[in-house]
Amino acid sequence: MALPVPEWRGLLGGLWAALEPPRRERLAAASLRDAVRLGCDLLREEQAALVRLCQRVCTGKEPEAASFYREQGNREFGRRRYQVALRLYSKAASHEPPGSPEVSVCFANRSAALFHLERFEVCLEDIARAESHGYPDRLLPKVLLRKAECLLCLGRLQDAANTLSVVENKIHVDEFMTSATHQTLLKKLSQLKVKLHEKERCPEPAQEACADMQGNSEIWEENDRISGASAFLSLNYDTERGRHLVASQDIVPGQSLLKEEAFVSVLWPGESLPLQDSETAWDTRVTNADLYCHRCLRQLLASVPCRGCSYAKYCSQDCADMAWEQYHRTECSLGALLLTLGVFCHVALRTVLLAGFTEVNRLVEGSHSGDKDPPNPKAGCKCLSEAPETGASARDIPGCNDSGQYHSSYQAVFHLLPHAEQHSPEHKFLCMLSVVAICKQLQEAGLHATVLNQESSEQWPKPKASEQTSDELSPELKTVAEAMLRHVLQLQCNAQAITVMQELGPGDGAVVNKKPMRLATAFFPVLSLLNHSCCPNTSVSFSGTAATVRASQPIPRGQEILHCYGPHRCRMRAAERQQLLSQYFFECRCQACLDELECDVKSVVSVRNSFCCPSCQAPMQGEEDLLCCSNKACATSVSRENLSCRLQDLQQQIQKASDLLRDGKADQAIKMLLKCQMDAGNFLSPEHLLMGEMEDHLAQVYATLGKWQEAARHLKKSIGIVEMHHGPSSVETGHELFKLAQILFNGFAVSEALSTIQRAEEILSVHCGPQSAQIQELQEMKTCLSELPRSILQRT
């Protein structure tokens, strides 16, 4: 979660309420620097409570847990559930203490699961890890035979021959090997030798290197003033909109406008996904922390564990080493505290660690000349701190360097608006005490030197006698706490969620169903220049920690580049959007909101996600609790609450049907979904999004059964409803067309599949770019279908 756990929020809420009114007033009006100073005196009994809360979170190395996970992994491996076993072996490795010989067994066992999953390259990496961590010599021949088999599968015949030679020598000299094991190994060795000779006699033809399947290259010219931005953009400022980006030339749909690497990102712990049904002493669920690299956010297959904690995991040793040097040597022992205090506090700490104390201190000291934010404009979006006069040169815009260039730097992050005076006093109090708690823990744990980027604690100044109390922070850590408080407050308006398309279900079906999921929270200083619109002209996609902004529609010269912060006109009404956008401290005045709020234009959501009459199916109307049938010949009236309850019941039934499908009970799922459709037809409009969702679920069930025509029929109905809500060129329509292409491909409907692939490509390349995974898969399907014999193509 972004904020601290509810127990800590409740505790500090009580502390705030118990303060004398004059003290509350002083804290509410305090600058960031003064708030930190006052906060140092307040954390006493609360620190002990925080320690107790942190004890609920396990981030340390637990040998007993390692043993448990390894045994569970062995059990799942015996059941041939190799993917589950893989995750459990990774959990076991993360809990083994540094230097433990058992970690080599975890890697060796995991290599076996990888071999059965046919991930041969990664299997070889795990075998190398097992060897480097001292895998027992008596067990090594079996692992080396697996290595040789991987090399054979990869066509690396000479390496395979060398490995088999090593295995043969080990088998002959090992005196402790039992006769049964000896015979098994010799038999396997003989089989692999035969396989090697066959491959040497009949070598497989070398595969041609795959050429770039996308013929059209992207339009891109680097901007010399805004890092990562297209030359088609310019940085502007006015008092109404603050800093913002504008098209300096006409822009076409799909054109890349911004490519930015996050200044900092922190993995979002996310929801847990059960690995097995039974509850056990140790948590066997898999979370984002098990699925993605904690540094680069790449998807993990065989993770490299942190040397000091069980939480952080990486895609490679290089990533692990870089994370350790840049920030994790400081964060490692604070894992439970950071998970308890939330992602925003974690991002704030990592931001100052990446920036370095020298730069943090320079900017914090420079900010003390003007602690207060400028008045917030009545309209528009994010405004500027220390805003220059209209018409000022670029070098006067906060975040720009002396040359007037805006880089994705800590200076740019620091000058994002914290809105210190707009946050509620209670929220500011919570954030302030949370960052003070982190800095006190840094001081008590002796991590002051690492925060200051120094090798030894002897190198930083000793506190004065008056400062040598358990409640007082060193001057340097007060500076760090002030910067962290600024960043936590900034994040409410400037945090960017990094999302990924995650597979729903096991992911081993012919049709892969995916949905966007929050993966991490990050600071993107250049992306933060984009103001909000409920009807934006851009799409944002992510690859690891990198964001790419593309034009989703034609943008004429002089028009502002706009990004949706979440509330979109196709997903909610204007009143709901305004309520959600209040966290950004501005009133949205985009065209969609003006049309709905001032011109009395009904929203897309209101028109299509409406109720119909239970008696005659005509649309229901009315703004109050009592809805009346729009058909004058029908006198039916129903309370909105009654219909809303029916809608909730229907959603629960659809979820049960989805659970049945996940459990392999497709026939029962179909019956339940068809009944849901009949019930929904009695009170929901035919264009309601839930009607499309049911069609989508039915398509998924029929695809599971291999009934491709039936699946396609239902999915086409779903696409029709999605198009009505989001538009025929929306990314949502593109994702649905991608699923339809998979169904038509598997159903051998060649002609229709090719036309659907073409349309899906056109839409998704605009929103996600030509190199996205979905575009690549569509192109592979198209190539496969195009290579079919002409006689088959003519028949289909």
Side-chain angles (χ1 to χ4, degrees):
M1 62 182 73
L3 296 176
V5 295
E7 295 88 341
W8 180 245
R9 298 204 301 268
L11 188 67
L12 295 193
L15 178 60
W16 172 262
L19 293 175
E20 306 87 350
R23 197 169 192 182
R24 285 207 300 267
E25 290 173 11
R26 196 160 65 251
L27 280 165
S31 66
L32 300 183
R33 174 173 54 174
D34 291 341
V36 168
R37 180 177 56 79
L38 293 168
C40 289
D41 299 328
L42 288 170
L43 270 184
R44 291 188 177 88
E45 295 176 8
E46 290 73 22
Q47 271 190 292
L50 183 57
V51 170
R52 290 193 295 273
L53 288 173
C54 292
Q55 288 171 348
R56 304 183 309 179
V57 183
C58 174
T59 59
K61 301 284 189 182
E62 299 280 351
E64 289 182 10
S67 177
F68 169 80
Y69 288 129
R70 194 168 57 252
E71 289 172 7
Q72 293 295 309
N74 291 341
R75 188 176 72 177
E76 298 299 339
F77 186 90
R79 294 173 175 174
R80 299 186 178 182
R81 296 176 65 186
Y82 301 120
Q83 193 69 48
V84 177
L86 181 72
R87 301 293 181 204
L88 289 164
Y89 289 140
S90 293
K91 280 182 172 286
S94 70
H95 277 280
E96 290 289 359
S100 166
E102 296 300 319
V103 73
S104 67
V105 178
C106 296
F107 291 138
N109 289 0
R110 193 170 68 180
S111 76
L114 288 163
F115 178 81
H116 284 283
L117 292 169
E118 298 184 357
R119 303 303 296 265
F120 303 122
E121 292 283 7
V122 190
C123 177
L124 290 172
E125 291 173 10
D126 255 4
I127 290 171
R129 290 188 187 108
E131 289 185 90
S132 66
H133 283 81
Y135 191 66
D137 202 56
R138 60 187 176 79
L139 301 175
L140 201 53
K142 183 178 180 181
V143 172
L144 291 177
L145 285 171
R146 186 179 303 138
K147 177 181 178 179
E149 196 161 4
C150 282
L151 292 167
L152 282 171
C153 292
L154 293 169
R156 294 164 56 181
L157 304 187
Q158 186 57 56
D159 291 339
N162 294 341
T163 303
L164 289 174
S165 179
V166 171
V167 175
E168 193 166 20
N169 291 334
K170 280 189 172 292
I171 291 174
H172 288 314
V173 299
D174 197 335
E175 300 175 1
F176 303 101
M177 197 174 295
T178 63
S179 58
T181 303
H182 189 266
Q183 291 302 315
T184 301
L185 291 173
L186 284 176
K187 182 179 179 181
K188 184 67 176 178
L189 177 64
S190 177
Q191 290 172 345
L192 291 178
K193 278 185 173 182
V194 170
K195 193 173 181 179
L196 174 64
H197 293 321
E198 288 174 353
K199 284 183 174 285
E200 287 174 336
R201 283 201 309 272
C202 304
E204 295 176 2
Q207 293 185 350
E208 295 181 12
C210 292
D212 185 5
M213 300 174 78
Q214 184 71 24
N216 298 325
S217 59
E218 290 190 82
I219 302 170
W220 181 257
E221 184 183 343
E222 186 80 23
N223 194 302
D224 59 358
R225 292 199 171 274
I226 312 165
S227 67
S230 163
F232 283 51
L233 304 183
S234 62
L235 174 60
N236 287 16
Y237 168 79
D238 61 46
T239 53
E240 182 181 342
R241 292 173 291 181
R243 291 174 294 188
H244 57 282
L245 296 178
V246 171
S248 56
Q249 300 180 47
D250 291 343
I251 292 168
V252 298
Q255 187 171 333
S256 293
L257 305 179
L258 174 64
K259 300 174 181 178
E260 184 181 15
E261 190 72 31
F263 179 82
V264 61
S265 64
V266 170
L267 190 71
W268 188 269
E271 297 178 2
S272 297
L273 305 171
L275 265 180
Q276 57 185 47
D277 299 330
S278 60
E279 293 186 3
T280 55
W282 301 97
D283 190 1
T284 57
R285 295 173 299 175
V286 59
T287 67
N288 279 355
D290 305 300
L291 295 173
Y292 297 92
C293 176
H294 287 224
R295 180 180 174 273
C296 71
L297 304 183
R298 250 184 231 148
Q299 193 158 8
L300 293 176
L301 189 60
S303 59
V304 175
C306 167
R307 67 183 81 171
C309 69
S310 61
Y311 179 68
K313 303 171 187 71
Y314 304 95
C315 63
S316 66
Q317 192 60 52
D318 285 344
C319 254
D321 292 342
M322 281 190 277
W324 185 265
E325 286 302 314
Q326 291 174 339
Y327 52 80
H328 193 63
R329 60 177 174 165
T330 303
E331 296 178 355
C332 187
S333 62
L334 305 182
L337 178 65
L338 294 172
L339 287 170
T340 300
L341 293 181
V343 170
F344 280 6
C345 282
H346 197 164
V347 172
L349 174 62
R350 189 171 291 181
T351 300
V352 299
L353 293 174
L354 286 168
F357 181 74
T358 301
E359 181 71 354
V360 170
N361 187 58
R362 179 182 75 82
L363 290 168
V364 168
E365 289 298 320
S367 72
H368 290 161
S369 59
D371 275 312
K372 292 187 178 180
D373 296 334
N376 201 30
K378 293 181 180 178
C381 298
K382 291 171 287 187
C383 65
L384 288 176
S385 174
E386 307 157 14
E389 294 296 324
T390 304
S393 66
R395 69 169 63 101
D396 296 322
I397 296 177
C400 289
N401 61 21
D402 293 339
S403 302
Q405 295 172 318
Y406 191 94
H407 289 301
S408 185
S409 63
Y410 181 65
Q411 179 169 314
V413 171
F414 190 85
H415 283 100
L416 296 173
L417 190 64
H419 285 292
E421 293 188 340
Q422 276 74 44
H423 289 279
S424 70
E426 295 87 349
H427 178 72
K428 204 162 91 171
F429 183 72
L430 167 69
C431 297
M432 177 266 294
L433 286 187
S434 296
V435 300
V436 166
I438 291 172
C439 289
K440 285 195 172 188
Q441 181 59 36
L442 288 169
Q443 186 162 283
E444 291 170 11
L447 293 169
H448 191 295
T450 62
V451 175
L452 303 187
N453 309 116
Q454 296 168 344
E455 295 179 1
S456 169
S457 59
E458 297 175 0
Q459 295 178 342
W460 53 270
K462 302 292 182 187
K464 297 175 184 177
S466 61
E467 297 171 345
Q468 291 182 356
T469 66
S470 60
D471 295 326
E472 191 71 12
L473 289 174
S474 71
E476 295 85 2
L477 283 177
K478 283 181 180 176
T479 298
V480 168
E482 181 182 341
M484 286 179 62
L485 177 56
R486 182 184 188 92
H487 298 323
V488 172
L489 297 177
Q490 286 172 330
L491 283 162
Q492 180 161 318
C493 298
N494 294 284
Q496 175 64 55
I498 296 177
T499 58
V500 65
M501 295 298 291
Q502 190 174 71
E503 292 180 6
L504 301 177
D508 52 3
V511 177
V512 178
N513 197 16
K514 297 183 178 184
K515 72 169 182 178
M517 180 211 69
R518 179 192 290 266
L519 180 57
T521 296
F523 269 135
F524 288 94
V526 182
L527 179 55
S528 290
L529 294 172
L530 300 188
N531 282 327
H532 167 79
S533 171
C534 299
C535 188
N537 52 19
T538 61
S539 286
V540 182
S541 59
F542 299 93
S543 177
T545 56
T548 301
V549 179
R550 293 181 176 83
S552 59
Q553 61 192 55
I555 304 175
R557 180 181 178 181
Q559 189 175 100
E560 185 177 358
I561 310 302
L562 297 166
H563 167 43
C564 180
Y565 293 178
H568 195 284
R569 65 182 288 271
C570 292
R571 290 191 283 271
M572 55 189 75
R573 298 174 178 85
E576 296 171 287
R577 300 199 301 269
Q578 294 287 353
Q579 185 178 1
L580 282 174
L581 288 167
S582 64
Q583 66 172 301
Y584 298 101
F585 307 113
F586 70 85
E587 181 184 358
C588 184
R589 307 288 292 172
C590 73
Q591 194 59 50
C593 285
L594 292 175
D595 288 344
E596 288 182 47
L597 296 173
E598 297 181 3
C599 303
D600 203 27
V601 175
K602 280 201 170 186
S603 71
V604 174
V605 178
S606 299
V607 172
R608 290 171 183 150
N609 273 359
S610 58
F611 295 116
C612 70
C613 176
S615 301
C616 69
Q617 279 69 59
M620 298 295 285
Q621 58 186 19
E623 297 299 325
E624 303 301 324
D625 181 57
L626 190 67
L627 299 177
C628 301
C629 181
S630 59
N631 180 6
K632 294 181 180 179
C634 178
T636 302
S637 61
V638 187
S639 73
R640 186 183 296 275
E641 184 181 1
N642 177 280
L643 293 176
S644 296
C645 287
R646 289 183 66 178
L647 180 61
Q648 289 179 359
D649 290 342
L650 184 64
Q651 289 170 326
Q652 290 174 1
Q653 291 301 308
I654 293 171
Q655 183 57 51
K656 287 180 181 178
S658 181
D659 293 340
L660 286 170
L661 175 60
R662 192 185 61 220
D663 295 338
K665 300 173 182 177
D667 291 337
Q668 293 180 42
I670 289 173
K671 287 179 182 178
M672 185 169 284
L673 286 169
L674 291 175
K675 183 179 182 302
C676 287
Q677 272 192 323
M678 288 183 63
D679 293 343
N682 292 325
F683 73 102
L684 292 183
S685 68
E687 300 87 13
H688 198 287
L689 266 177
L690 200 61
M691 302 294 277
E693 188 179 324
M694 285 184 284
E695 296 289 357
D696 194 278
H697 281 299
L698 281 165
Q700 190 180 350
V701 180
Y702 283 118
T704 302
L705 297 171
K707 296 181 178 180
W708 306 112
Q709 287 186 339
E710 195 68 14
R713 184 174 68 83
H714 285 286
L715 194 53
K716 286 173 188 176
K717 291 181 182 178
S718 170
I719 291 171
I721 293 173
V722 170
E723 283 182 334
M724 279 192 283
H725 281 265
H726 299 284
S729 300
S730 65
V731 68
E732 290 84 0
T733 298
H735 291 318
E736 289 297 298
L737 286 168
F738 176 79
K739 288 192 285 187
L740 179 59
Q742 290 178 310
I743 286 171
L744 295 170
F745 176 87
N746 285 288
F748 218 56
V750 179
S751 179
E752 193 178 358
L754 286 170
S755 62
T756 302
I757 288 169
Q758 182 67 29
R759 189 178 166 209
E761 268 189 286
E762 290 170 358
I763 295 172
L764 292 174
S765 61
V766 166
H767 296 280
C768 309
Q771 302 305 319
S772 68
Q774 285 182 310
I775 291 291
Q776 298 302 314
E777 188 171 338
L778 287 167
Q779 290 173 348
E780 288 171 10
M781 285 193 282
K782 183 164 63 177
T783 300
C784 182
L785 292 173
S786 301
E787 291 175 352
L788 289 171
R790 184 172 297 179
S791 58
I792 295 177
L793 291 173
Q794 289 172 345
R795 287 203 305 269
T796 57

